[in-house]
Amino acid sequence: MDGIKYAVFTEKSLRLLGKNQYTFNVESGFTKTEIKHWVKLFFGVKVVVVNSHRLPGKGRRIGPILGHTMHYRRMIITLQPGYSIPLLDREKN
């Protein structure tokens, strides 16, 4: 479960909770199949589809040195009807 950083709560992700879709930020090196496997094992739910997109890192400047933060992936996980992730159910109401 080291790959999943945290659940995301934005306006869009809260709207997707009504469609039984959950949003997580994950490490950029993990694939959709690995995340699907971890969600099945950890939460005990059946996953239908995993959608993902890569979010770019933000630029940072420390004096004359230009740098950037690490980029990460955002996964939108759709569960079968009747299944839910118990820790995030409170956000639906």
Side-chain angles (χ1 to χ4, degrees), residues 19-38:
K19 298 179 183 178
N20 212 19
Q21 296 179 334
Y22 297 87
T23 309
F24 296 97
N25 281 348
V26 299
E27 295 289 334
S28 61
F30 285 91
T31 62
K32 290 181 181 183
T33 347
E34 291 172 334
I35 295 300
K36 183 176 181 177
H37 175 73
W38 279 110

Side-chain angles (χ1 to χ4, degrees), residues 2-18:
D2 294 335
I4 297 178
K5 291 183 177 182
Y6 50 87
V8 177
F9 296 106
T10 60
E11 287 183 26
K12 180 179 179 180
S13 67
L14 292 175
R15 188 176 60 237
L16 290 175
L17 282 175

Side-chain angles (χ1 to χ4, degrees), residues 3 21 25 27-28 33 40 43 45 49-50 53 67 76 78 84:
Q21 296 179 334
N25 281 348
E27 295 289 334
S28 61
T33 347
K40 279 183 183 178
F43 295 113
V45 295
V49 168
V50 176
H53 60 278
I76 300 174
T78 306
S84 65

